[in-house]
Amino acid sequence: MIPAAALRDAGLAALVALGLFAPLVGLRTDVSPTGGLFLRTRWADVAIVCGIVFLGRLVLSLWLGQRGLRPSTGPGPWTARLERAGAFVAPVLLGLAVVLPFIPGIGRYELDIGILVLTYVMLGWGLNIVVGLAGLLDLGYVAFYAIGAYSYALLAQYFGLSFWVCLPLAGILAAFWGVLLGFPVLRLRGDYLAIVTLAFGEIIRVVLINWVGLTGGPNGIGGIPRPSFFGLPFSMEGGPGTFAGFFGLEPSPTHRVIFLYYLILGLALLTNWVTIRLRRQPLGRAWEALREDEIACRALGINVTTTKLSAFALGAMFGGFAGAFFATRQAFVSPESFTFIESAIILAIVVLGGLGSQVGVAIAALVMIGGFELFRDLDEWRMLVFGGAMVAIMVLRPRGLVGTRTPTVALGKKRAISGDLVSEGHG
Amino acid sequence: MSAEQSPLLELDAVSAGYGPVQALSAVSIRVMPGEIVTLIGANGAGKSTLLMTICGDPKPRSGRVLLAGTDIAGLPTHAIMRQGLAQSPEGRRVFPRMTIRENLLMGAETLAEGGDRSAQLDQVFTLFPRLRERLAQRAGTLSGGEQQMLAIGRALMSRPRLLLLDEPSLGLAPLVVRQIFGAIRDLNGKTGLTVLLVEQNANLALRLAHRGYVLVNGRIAMEGTGAELLARPEVRDAYLGGGAPLPPPLPADGPNPA
């Protein structure tokens, strides 16, 4: 027996659908053979659409009605399950990442995707310091990625410096720009900060496009030197001074790809390690406290200025490292690679992963970047699938995939605190 | 308190305000070591501004703020808070997504790096045993009273010479307020901690404090011992609901004689 309330509810939904779809679907202008426009009506289609809405709504309300509400303050069953799985996920993912190049069937293409995913994992972890820990919404993170990439490209081009010299320099330069951006925006919070950082990202890109004399403008910089294995270049010739020659291997182009893969894996893990270490230090705790309540922080004698700047600088530094890696991998940089959409994707990774969660960010990067590649065959539908997946994640897990955080210090047993226990936006 | 003792905190003709608004006009108060001094007044009288001005936000427009004889008026807030001052801010402002323990450790951030915090933690737990039971909980899940205890405990973690309390009774049930006031008095009695208390609840505050100041429109209108002010008809009319009978006294003995 279907309850009357559910029928009424479904009827109402169908009525709304009728109002919407009657003009949208029901009426269509077509070109008549004489060349003029004529109105074609498609009422049968409207009826079908309204019928689907009616049935869908009915099923939904019946299902929801049956499920009832569970009054509970504890984590939901899904959260608990994910938490239990979470304990295994991190080591399993790490193990997989380490042995990936040696798994049979993993070729050049898979490794390239792996490198791409790891680059975004690293960028996500870097941005997580700024957004997830310090709570400073940065919409222009790609600027630091760009600064890192161009730092390496320009230093290599003009001064002939090698990748290993440029990597720390790129990080330092990006951190310097992070501090430079940090100073004027320190008084801003939330929306205002977001707008200024967004503008900063665009300014960097526009400067890169227009400063043709230095950056080559839209043409970018090509011929960026590839990284060497601590001085041993990767070469197909296989002489004694090359990687293959030194280790007595058959020269193969895969060597460099595998090396790049391990390089970015190492850089990403360095980012993760630094973040985890810092979270247990007073500085990391101060970042989190700053995210929670700036005024209280000042009342406790925290120097808000330096705390914010350190978060900005450190996040920017890892962005710069990732940028230098990007440049050496591509051997070519142009402003096109550093558009706003990159910032948006990195931010989406951090938010979808659950702000502040390291494993969550890694999974989100895997899903977003890996998934994006997976659905390449869907062509223009890809964005639709992608958008749908993001909406679904936010509806089902509004506090991110891993919406819990483990206390940085605990007495006795460490207890994860469920994101379900706090209000929206506070997870 | 002997007469030759110098004040721990002295405000000398301090004026302050926000933009065009003058919130404090030539306010002078003194807090002697070991005293509980309260500052009462109506909404908007400038009580919280006075406390914030001591902390350097806003900075005083004129006058001096002397902590143990040193002028701290020009220092940035974070530097002032490292001079042995601690504040439990208005509205508690605990860090909701951090645990009780993390909140408390944040309070000790101004101390030298690395040191052992267990002695301070123990002191806080002796004062507020309820916090010990909830160490691993998020502060946001605590009740209002527990959050207030946490805010005070957090302030005590830095071993301050002077504790500034901004409206600890705000939004709390009368029973909880009395618990918290009892704890403040215990703390003062046992450790000799100096307290400057800003309160709306003039009745309780004046009975707890050794001395009090009444702030009206940014100026000190009256000062005296707690008992003196309580007895003044103007104070009773303005802040204690006129001729209403006094509520029962605080638990245990009355305030220590000043």
Side-chain angles (χ1 to χ4, degrees), chain A residues 219-239:
Chain A
N219 297 329
I221 300 172
I224 300 168
R226 299 307 203 112
S228 58
F229 185 83
F230 304 102
L232 297 172
F234 292 94
S235 160
M236 289 303 291
E237 279 142 42

Side-chain angles (χ1 to χ4, degrees), chain B residues 85-165:
Chain B
L85 245 71
Q87 201 205 105
S88 158
E90 185 177 5
R92 308 187 271 273
R93 293 190 172 272
V94 295
F95 304 116
R97 281 178 290 176
M98 298 170 79
T99 64
I100 312 304
R101 191 182 169 84
E102 287 168 332
N103 265 274
L104 289 173
L105 287 178
M106 279 305 296
E109 210 83 329
T110 52
L111 297 178
E113 303 286 312
D116 186 16
R117 311 280 188 245
S118 50
Q120 285 111 298
L121 283 171
D122 277 342
Q123 189 204 3
V124 173
F125 297 144
T126 320
L127 203 61
F128 303 116
R130 231 188 291 184
L131 294 180
R132 190 200 295 272
E133 301 158 21
R134 321 219 148 169
L135 260 187
Q137 263 188 37
R138 282 197 201 213
T141 63
L142 294 180
S143 73
E146 289 163 341
Q147 287 189 14
Q148 185 60 59
M149 294 175 191
L150 179 58
I152 296 174
R154 187 177 62 182
L156 291 174
M157 288 294 289
S158 65
R159 299 186 179 285
R161 287 185 285 173
L162 172 65
L163 177 65
L164 307 174
L165 293 174

Side-chain angles (χ1 to χ4, degrees), chain A residues 169-185:
Chain A
L169 286 178
I172 290 167
L173 279 168
F176 167 74
W177 280 95
V179 171
L180 223 59
L181 167 67
F183 263 118
V185 305

Side-chain angles (χ1 to χ4, degrees), chain A residues 14-208:
Chain A
L15 207 65
V16 172
L18 180 68
L20 271 174
F21 291 119
L24 282 175
V25 177
L27 303 173
R28 187 189 158 114
T29 49
D30 272 341
V31 181
S32 67
T34 57
L37 283 177
F38 78 100
L39 200 62
R40 198 152 62 87
T41 54
R42 299 188 296 183
W43 300 123
D45 294 353
V46 174
I48 291 169
V49 170
C50 290
I52 292 172
V53 169
F54 179 81
L55 285 176
R57 181 74 205 176
L58 192 65
V59 168
L60 195 68
S61 55
L62 287 177
W63 180 55
L64 285 179
Q66 216 166 42
R67 211 172 52 155
L69 286 172
R70 271 177 303 105
S72 161
T73 53
W78 269 106
T79 308
R81 239 169 278 164
L82 278 174
E83 259 161 36
R84 244 173 291 133
F88 301 102
V89 165
V92 167
L93 278 182
L94 180 62
L96 262 179
V98 170
V99 299
L100 185 78
F102 303 107
I103 295 174
I106 297 291
R108 172 94 197 245
Y109 172 70
E110 286 79 10
L111 274 181
D112 271 334
I113 293 181
I115 290 172
L116 193 66
V117 168
L118 281 173
T119 310
Y120 280 93
V121 168
M122 177 170 181
L123 287 168
W125 278 339
L127 184 61
N128 197 23
I129 295 174
V130 184
V131 180
L133 292 184
L136 305 164
L137 184 53
D138 185 351
L139 290 182
Y141 191 63
V142 75
F144 304 121
Y145 189 38
I147 288 166
Y150 271 87
S151 297
Y152 173 47
L154 293 171
L155 286 171
Q157 203 178 40
Y158 285 96
F159 301 106
L161 297 178
S162 78
F163 175 74
W164 291 106
V165 176
C166 290
L167 183 69
L169 286 178
I172 290 167
L173 279 168
F176 167 74
W177 280 95
V179 171
L180 223 59
L181 167 67
F183 263 118
V185 305
L186 277 175
R187 289 158 198 280
L188 306 175
R189 280 193 74 83
D191 321 0
Y192 303 101
L193 179 70
I195 290 169
V196 175
T197 54
L198 175 68
F200 180 72
E202 283 302 286
I203 288 168
I204 293 290
R205 193 174 62 87
V206 170
V207 166
L208 291 179

Side-chain angles (χ1 to χ4, degrees), chain A residues 282-283 285-286 288-293 295-304 403-411 413 415 417-419 421-422 425-427, chain B residues 52 57 77-79 81-82 85-87 89 92-99 101-103 105-107 109-110 113-114 132-133 135-138 140-141 154-155:
Chain A
L283 180 63
R285 207 153 50 220
E288 288 198 73
L290 193 69
R291 177 190 70 195
E292 306 280 290
D293 197 319
I295 291 173
C297 272
R298 273 196 296 188
L300 295 175
I302 306 294
N303 188 339
V304 175
T404 60
R405 74 176 265 285
T406 315
T408 51
V409 280
L411 191 72
K413 190 164 79 111
R415 263 185 288 179
I417 299 158
S418 168
L421 296 181
V422 288
H426 285 267
Chain B
M52 294 308 285
D57 182 22
T77 302
H78 63 89
M81 302 318 286
R82 284 165 193 263
L85 245 71
Q87 201 205 105
R92 308 187 271 273
R93 293 190 172 272
V94 295
F95 304 116
R97 281 178 290 176
M98 298 170 79
T99 64
R101 191 182 169 84
E102 287 168 332
N103 265 274
L105 287 178
M106 279 305 296
E109 210 83 329
T110 52
E113 303 286 312
R132 190 200 295 272
E133 301 158 21
L135 260 187
Q137 263 188 37
R138 282 197 201 213
T141 63
R154 187 177 62 182

